[in-house]
């Protein structure tokens, strides 16, 4: 993903606050090493005490326990005074108020679709704000993988709610748990390939086969967000020193034309780039 200064600031600023822009949002230079990723999952080892999840690849030990990943990604776990768990971990242990989640993630008047028992079931993508949809896309590839990227189930909604409401998280623990589940499942999917490729290369691991490299998907920039995730129903855009602009359907560009309200300086070099690919 590439976002310039003044483009979608709520998302960009929160990425920086969480330190996602340092590594998690800047993994690899456009390619992944499929052979190394396959070997990583084939050699994955998770002891019963969960203390040192790792994989040995070409003689190198690659650790992916929570502490090691947080150190590599530069995402330290922040705790409130007197607490042993970050805010999001404590939030997940409680029964959340679906109305609060709806208010943060959905456009006005929209909310959870209920199941046959009258309980919250899912949020429809078309009912989500642009910010909620963008965080959803980020989470699909970088935090908690899923093949269902249309609507949000309750667990995914809680994760996106935690991101939007600035809850501190154990990012290394979240990703480590995801990798463990994927390695222990019968799935053929290779999750977090960009992260694994970068992590292995930082330890001196590389593939000898040029054919094992695959390109990442094209970066997501503001134009991509507008085309695919922009919700014109109640969406307000904030730009520094620019009056809030209410976008109508006719205002939304269908190509890479500049969005109304973005100053000319926003065409400078991108502030950040992020991508991961789940194969």
């Amino acid at each position: 993903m590439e976002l310039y200064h003044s483009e979608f600031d709520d998302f960009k600023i929160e990425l920086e606050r969480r330190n996602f822009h340092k590594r998690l949002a800047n993994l690899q230079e456009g390619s992944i090493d499929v052979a190394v990723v396959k070997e990583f999952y084939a050699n994955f080892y998770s002891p019963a005490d969960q203390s040192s999840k790792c994989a040995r690849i070409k003689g190198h030990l690659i650790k992916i326990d929570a502490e090691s990943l947080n150190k590599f990604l530069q995402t330290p776990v922040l705790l409130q005074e007197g607490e042993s768990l970050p805010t999001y971990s404590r939030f997940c242990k409680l029964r959340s108020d679906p109305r609060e989640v709806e208010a943060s993630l959905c456009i006005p008047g929209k909310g959870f679709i209920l199941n046959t028992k009258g309980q919250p079931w899912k949020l429809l993508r078309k009912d989500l704000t642009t910010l909620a949809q963008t965080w959803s896309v980020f989470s699909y590839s970088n935090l908690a993988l899923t093949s269902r990227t249309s609507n949000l189930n309750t667990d995914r909604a809680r994760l996106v709610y935690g991101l939007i409401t600035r809850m501190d998280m154990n990012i290394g623990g979240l990703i480590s748990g995801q990798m463990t589940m994927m390695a222990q499942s019968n799935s053929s999917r290779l999750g977090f390939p960009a992260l694994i490729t970068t992590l292995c290369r930082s330890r001196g691991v590389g593939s000898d086969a040029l054919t094992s490299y695959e390109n990442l998907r094209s970066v997501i920039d503001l134009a991509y967000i507008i085309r695919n995730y922009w919700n014109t129903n109640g969406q307000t855009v904030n730009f520094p020193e620019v009056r809030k602009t209410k976008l109508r359907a006719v205002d939304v560009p269908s190509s890479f034309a500049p969005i109304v309200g973005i100053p000319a300086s926003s065409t400078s070099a991108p502030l950040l780039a992020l991508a991961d690919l789940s194969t």
Side-chain angles (χ1 to χ4, degrees):
M1 179 176 286
E2 291 183 352
L3 292 174
Y4 298 87
H5 289 287
S6 300
E7 292 185 352
F8 211 23
D9 284 314
D10 289 343
F11 180 68
K12 175 175 63 66
I13 291 171
E14 186 60 12
L15 278 175
E16 294 175 343
R17 189 190 75 84
R18 293 180 180 274
N19 280 353
F20 287 172
H21 66 298
K22 291 185 176 179
R23 276 194 181 272
L24 187 63
N26 288 281
L27 295 172
Q28 278 309 306
E29 298 179 356
S31 66
I32 58 174
D33 192 330
V34 179
V36 165
V37 176
K38 288 181 177 179
E39 187 173 352
F40 171 88
Y41 280 108
N43 296 338
F44 182 87
Y45 174 70
S46 179
D49 61 5
Q50 303 292 302
S51 60
S52 56
K53 300 174 184 178
C54 58
R56 187 169 293 278
I57 305 176
K58 302 184 188 320
H60 298 269
L61 187 65
I62 310 299
K63 295 183 178 180
I64 57 97
D65 57 275
E67 182 178 357
S68 297
L69 285 179
N70 279 324
K71 182 177 180 179
F72 179 75
L73 295 172
Q74 300 180 46
T75 52
V77 179
L78 302 178
L79 300 176
Q80 295 181 355
E81 185 176 356
E83 298 291 348
S84 59
L85 294 173
T87 308
Y88 180 70
S89 298
R90 289 185 280 113
F91 168 72
C92 288
K93 292 180 177 292
L94 303 174
R95 175 175 293 182
S96 58
D97 184 348
R99 290 172 296 183
E100 292 183 2
V101 177
E102 293 169 349
S104 295
L105 273 57
C106 298
I107 59 177
K110 300 297 182 179
F112 278 103
I113 302 297
L114 305 181
N115 60 19
T116 56
K117 297 181 179 180
Q119 299 173 333
W121 176 32
K122 63 182 178 181
L123 295 176
L124 300 181
R125 172 177 166 178
K126 66 182 181 66
D127 294 339
L128 299 175
T129 65
T130 302
L131 183 60
Q133 291 193 46
T134 305
W135 275 117
S136 298
V137 174
F138 181 90
S139 71
Y140 293 149
S141 297
N142 296 279
L143 299 175
L145 306 186
T146 180
S147 58
R148 300 178 180 179
T149 59
S150 177
N151 305 317
L152 299 188
N153 61 20
T154 53
D155 288 339
R156 180 73 52 173
R158 285 160 67 91
L159 174 59
V160 176
Y161 174 77
L163 291 166
I164 287 180
T165 57
R166 300 166 61 90
M167 292 185 185
D168 291 317
M169 301 177 176
N170 184 343
I171 297 302
L174 180 62
I175 295 176
S176 179
Q178 288 282 308
M179 287 182 174
T180 302
M181 288 190 294
M182 190 159 293
Q184 295 175 345
S185 70
N186 295 323
S187 173
S188 60
R189 296 180 63 211
L190 303 176
F192 304 98
L195 173 56
I196 292 171
T197 298
T198 306
L199 190 61
C200 290
R201 286 181 178 173
S202 72
R203 302 292 189 269
V205 178
S207 176
D208 298 328
L210 295 178
T211 56
S212 72
Y213 291 97
E214 290 187 5
N215 293 328
L216 293 169
R217 296 190 186 102
S218 300
V219 296
I220 303 174
D221 56 14
L222 185 62
Y224 179 90
I225 293 174
I226 293 170
R227 288 200 310 272
N228 296 281
Y229 306 112
W230 201 268
N231 196 327
T232 58
N233 297 317
Q235 178 66 47
T236 299
V237 187
N238 295 294
F239 297 113
E241 301 179 2
V242 177
R243 187 179 61 185
K244 291 183 179 180
T245 304
K246 188 79 169 184
L247 292 187
R248 305 185 307 276
V250 295
D251 294 324
V252 180
S254 59
S255 63
F256 282 85
I259 181 174
V260 175
I262 296 182
S265 60
S266 68
T267 57
S268 58
L271 179 68
L272 57 91
L274 62 96
D276 205 332
L277 174 66
S278 183
T279 57

